[in-house]
Amino acid sequence: MVTETLMSRSARQKPVEAEDSTKRQKILKAAARSFLARGYRGTSMELVATESDVGRQTVYNQFASKRALFDATLALLWEEMPIDRIVSRTGTERVPERALLEIGNTIADFWAKEEAVAFLRMIISESIHFPELAESFFAFGQGSARRAVIEYLTILRDKKILHVADPDLAAAQFIGLINEPLLSSRIIGVGKSPSKERRKHVVEEAVQTFLARYGR
């Protein structure tokens, strides 16, 4: 009897959890559209509730504040740059060139999306009045990705695979070799998203340049 009761309770919970997850995704997608269209200042929890077709209280049940909603929206966006997962499964099992190519292509493909660049522009514009937005951007995205690259380069240094005296600087240099030709001008609205071939070429050149400096 107890087992049957537990199984019945579990069966009821699963549809509820699935429904909550679906609502959460709808809210986050509506929030992303609103933040991009209206900015942080022009977006409200009520507006997101209306655009996601859920009740106002449902939004507050999922997210305690607009800042929490914004942070979750950023976290969802940055899931598409899983550098930490690449590093965790890489270690020293592959030659650095192959691992760096995967990391570099992940960075390049992430910034190829107009939505990602638009979010960055919005954060740069509004962080003057809302400095916490820049903090969130770094905490949930750029900082996490850079820390993962630093971690990987530190492993290569400790294993004496690469001659990297300053992993923090080397990580910034590697990411810069990719972002400068593919992203910088687009932040100010110049140029369009680079083709797959262009991104691949830039990443390959970045890896070769990096290894020419730090390879043993």
Side-chain angles (χ1 to χ4, degrees):
M1 178 69 71
V2 174
T3 302
E4 290 179 358
T5 301
L6 290 174
M7 291 176 63
S8 176
R9 186 181 303 164
S10 177
R12 290 196 302 271
Q13 286 175 342
K14 287 181 179 179
V16 172
E17 291 172 357
E19 182 180 354
D20 285 346
S21 178
T22 299
K23 286 181 179 179
R24 183 180 179 87
Q25 293 300 313
K26 287 178 63 177
I27 292 168
L28 288 174
K29 288 180 180 178
R33 291 194 300 269
S34 184
F35 285 131
L36 288 177
R38 302 176 180 86
Y40 186 79
R41 186 193 299 270
T43 296
S44 67
M45 302 286 272
E46 292 74 14
L47 184 60
V48 171
T50 299
E51 295 199 352
S52 57
D53 196 27
V54 301
R56 176 178 178 274
Q57 190 57 48
T58 299
V59 177
Y60 277 99
N61 288 342
Q62 294 278 352
F63 308 98
S65 64
K66 184 166 73 169
R67 170 71 185 278
L69 176 59
F70 181 81
D71 288 352
T73 304
L74 269 184
L76 181 64
L77 175 69
W78 280 91
E79 283 182 5
E80 298 181 40
M81 193 193 282
I83 293 180
D84 54 340
R85 295 197 292 274
I86 295 173
V87 169
S88 65
R89 72 168 186 265
T90 293
T92 57
E93 296 173 3
R94 290 186 293 172
V95 295
E97 181 178 0
R98 302 306 305 170
L100 289 171
L101 282 171
E102 184 176 359
I103 292 171
N105 283 320
T106 299
I107 295 171
D109 290 345
F110 176 83
W111 289 117
K113 298 184 291 293
E114 292 298 342
E115 181 186 26
V117 180
F119 250 102
L120 179 54
R121 288 197 202 103
M122 184 267 291
I123 290 167
I124 292 172
S125 173
E126 298 225 17
S127 61
I128 297 174
H129 303 289
F130 303 99
E132 63 271 20
L133 303 189
E135 295 171 3
S136 293
F137 181 78
F138 194 79
F140 289 96
Q142 187 178 33
S144 178
R146 179 169 294 187
R147 284 191 298 271
V149 177
I150 293 170
E151 176 188 336
Y152 177 58
L153 296 179
T154 301
I155 292 172
L156 296 181
R157 179 199 64 186
D158 294 345
K159 296 287 186 179
K160 301 188 185 306
I161 296 172
L162 292 183
H163 184 68
V164 181
D166 186 342
D168 292 49
L169 175 60
Q173 290 170 334
F174 178 69
I175 295 170
L177 286 169
I178 298 166
N179 285 346
E180 175 58 33
L182 296 179
L183 174 64
S184 296
S185 62
R186 292 173 59 219
I187 294 175
I188 59 174
V190 177
K192 58 183 181 179
S193 178
S195 66
K196 184 72 174 180
E197 292 73 20
R198 177 61 178 168
R199 299 198 302 272
K200 182 173 180 292
H201 175 66
V202 167
V203 171
E204 288 173 349
E205 288 295 313
V207 170
Q208 292 306 313
T209 300
F210 187 81
L211 290 178
R213 167 63 181 86
Y214 291 108
R216 282 188 174 273

